[in-house]
Amino acid sequence: MKQKIDSVLDTSGLICPEPVMLLHKSVRELSIGEVIEVIATDPATTRDIPKFCQFLGHELISQTNNADISYRYLIKKS
């Protein structure tokens, strides 16, 4: 079953700490249980976004690295 996505945050071209700062702002606007898709090009997000989820208690549903040097995350607000 395909995951329903409620919001998309494209941080392509931005570098640390901007992707996580924008994610923090975007997650605040979601309701509990909603899912945000984050698209990033900064390799630091592979470390920063999982730590963000762990620290704030959100569920990192998936984390994928794409061949075009981008990263995709699905996060459910808790």
Side-chain angles (χ1 to χ4, degrees):
M1 182 174 142
K2 190 169 165 88
Q3 175 66 53
K4 179 181 177 283
I5 296 171
D6 300 291
S7 181
V8 176
L9 176 63
D10 187 351
T11 67
S12 298
L14 300 178
I15 58 170
C16 183
E18 290 174 293
V20 171
M21 289 171 53
L22 290 173
L23 173 59
H24 191 72
K25 180 180 183 294
S26 296
V27 164
R28 270 188 264 163
E29 297 169 2
L30 295 176
S31 297
I32 290 176
E34 287 188 322
V35 174
I36 186 168
E37 174 184 26
V38 181
I39 300 159
T41 52
D42 182 2
T45 60
T46 61
R47 174 198 67 229
D48 295 344
I49 289 181
K51 286 196 179 294
F52 167 87
C53 292
Q54 182 180 21
F55 184 74
L56 294 176
H58 302 303
E59 179 186 351
L60 180 59
I61 297 170
S62 70
Q63 175 178 345
T64 54
N65 299 355
N66 300 312
D68 65 353
I69 319 297
S70 70
Y71 308 93
R72 178 178 180 261
Y73 307 89
L74 291 181
I75 300 162
K76 181 187 285 187
K77 181 174 179 172
S78 298

